[in-house]
Amino acid sequence: MNAKLDTSASWRDRARSLRIRTQAFIEGRYVDAASGQAFDCINPSNGTVLARIAACDVEDVNRAVASARAVFKKGSWAHLAPKKRKVVLQRFADLILQNGDELALLETLDMGKPIRDSLSIDIPGSANCIRWYAEAIDKVYDEVAPTGRDTLAMITREPMGVVGAIVPWNFPLLMAAWKIGPVLAAGNSLVLKPSEKSPLTALRIAELAVEAGIPPGVLNVVPGFGQTAGKALALHMDVDCITFTGSTATGGLVMQYAGQSNMKRVSVECGGKSPNIVMADYPDVERVANAAAAAIFFNQGEVCSAGSRLLVHESIKDAVLEKVQAFSSTMQPGDPLDPATKLGAIVDEIQMKRVLGYVETGRRDGAKLRFGGERVRADTGGYFIEPTVFEGVRPNMTIAREEIFGPVLSAITFKTVEEAIEIANDVIYGLVAAVWTRDITTAHRVAKAIRAGTVFVNCYDADDITVPFGGFKQSGIGRDKSLHALEKYTELKTTWIDLS
Ligand code: NAD
C-alpha cells in the first residue's frame, strides 16, 4: 500500500478527488446510454450517491455487440499471434497493478468491502488472473488424432467470436477478470455487463485495456440492470457465447435466453450453501474455529463459496462455537476505508434487509441465535450487519438450505460420518465443501462422497488461479480459472486431410 494511504482519513481525501467513469465503454470510447438514462451508484458505507451511471439497454448492447463483431471479423485481435496477445495482456495486467490504489478505492466505495481486502486480494488477484492467461496462451498446443497413415486429422481450438459476460457484485473486478483473462487470451471479443450494484472498476479498466494496446471494440462494458442490459446480451442473436456469474435463479434465466435465441454457448457459475464439516478427531479446535469464522465472515459473507453451514460433531460443538465467537469479536463491522477494518458494509439496503429477513426466519423456525443478528452502525447511514451464528439448526430449516449471502452461519450437529455426508449433500448446491479430520480414510471417503466442485481437507478457501473453480448441481455449469476455462471460450474443430 502507498504509505500515504494508510489511514481512513487519507483514503477519504483521495476519494474526494477521485474521477469516476460513469459512461458505457463501446468501441474504445466512453459514451452515454442511447436513451440518456442513468442510475444511482450508492456507497453502501453511508448510503450516499457516488455517481450516476449510464443505464444501458437493448440499443447500447446492440452497439457494443456490433463493435465486438466488427473487430473480431477484422482479426486485429483474433488473428494476432498468441505471443503478441500475451505481451498486450501482460501490459494490461501491469496497468491494473499500477492503478491498484485507485481501483481498490473504487471497489471499496462501490460495494463496501474493506480496503485492505480490495488492496490485497481483489486488485492483485485480477491482475494475476489476466497475466496468467496471457502467459499460458502461447504454451497450449492443439492435437493431431491417431487416425493412421493415409489421413491427417487435426483437432484445433478456435475463438468463439463475440462473448457476453454478466458478472455479480461481490468481487466485481475479480469475477470480471476470471472472464476477461481467458476470453481475451483465446482471441475473442467481449461485451461485459457488470452488476448495477458495482460497475465502477469494470468501467475504469476498459480504458486501461485500450491503453495497453487491446484494439478498440475488443473489450466493451455496458453497465445497466439485469432485466434490461443483461437480458439483451443473453438474448442477442449475434453473441456466440454467454458466460455468467451470479445467483442460481438468474443463471437459470440466462440458460433460457440462450435457448430462446441462437443457442449460444452458455456457462453459469452460481450460488452455494457450502458445508464445512468438523470431525470429532480434529485436534486443533482453535484453528478449525478460526477458519470456520473466516469462511463465513470474509467479504461480509458475500462469497459464493462461503462456508455457510458448519457441520460439527456433536461432541465438540460447544468448544468449536466458543472459539468461533472469540474470533468473530475481532471481525466487527467497521468503516471500509479504515485499513484496520476486516468486515465492511453489505452491498446495499435490499441485500441487508434480505439477510436480516433470514435471521428472522431462523429465529421463527426455532434455531437458537448464539450471537449477532443485528444491523449495526446505522448512524453512519450505511448497511452493516454483525457476525451472526445460529446453533441448533436442523437440515430442513430455511437457513440450512438457502443461500443467505451475508455474515450468517448455521451450525448443525451430526453423530456419524455417514450422517455428515448425507446432510452435506442434501441441498440443491454443490460448489465447495471442507472436511477437517486426522483420519486419512475419513478424509478420502468424505471427499469422494461429497458432490461439489472443490473439497478442501483441513483447510478452507485455499486458492490459486491454476485450479478450476465451479460447481456441481445448481451451483453451475462449467469452470472458471485454470486452463479448463479456455474450453468455454473456444470451439473445437476437426480438419481431415486425405493423404492417399
Ligand atoms: P444476480 O443473479 O442477482 O446478478 C448477477 C448478474 O446478473 C448481475 O450483473 C445482474 O444485473 C444480472 N442479471 C440479473 N437479472 C438478469 C436477467 N434477467 N438477465 C440477465 N442478467 C441478469 O446475482 P448477484 O446478487 O449479483 O450475485 C450474488 C450471486 O452470485 C450469489 O448467488 C453468489 O453465490 C453468486 N456467485 C457465484 C460465483 C461462482 O463462481 N460460482 C462467484 C461469485 C458470486
Side-chain angles (χ1 to χ4, degrees), residues 166-170 175 178 193-196 224-227 230-231 244-248 250 253-254 257 269-272 304 403 405 431 469 475:
I166 301 176
V167 295
W169 48 262
N170 60 333
M175 293 303 99
W178 285 9
K193 196 208 82 67
S195 169
E196 59 278 19
F225 293 94
Q227 274 298 327
K231 186 172 175 181
F244 169 83
T245 302
S247 63
T248 291
T250 311
L253 285 177
V254 167
Y257 299 149
E269 298 286 345
C270 300
C304 52
E403 185 183 46
F405 226 57
L431 192 54
F469 185 83
S475 284

Side-chain angles (χ1 to χ4, degrees), residues 357-380:
Y358 274 113
V359 172
E360 221 17 71
T361 302
R363 280 199 179 108
R364 212 180 43 230
D365 289 351
K368 183 178 163 207
L369 185 63
R370 185 156 178 135
F371 61 87
E374 299 293 333
R375 177 183 186 184
V376 291
R377 296 172 56 83
D379 56 321
T380 60

Side-chain angles (χ1 to χ4, degrees), residues 259-271:
Q260 281 163 25
S261 52
N262 60 344
M263 216 187 270
K264 53 179 70 65
R265 307 297 179 260
V266 187
S267 57
V268 292
E269 298 286 345
C270 300

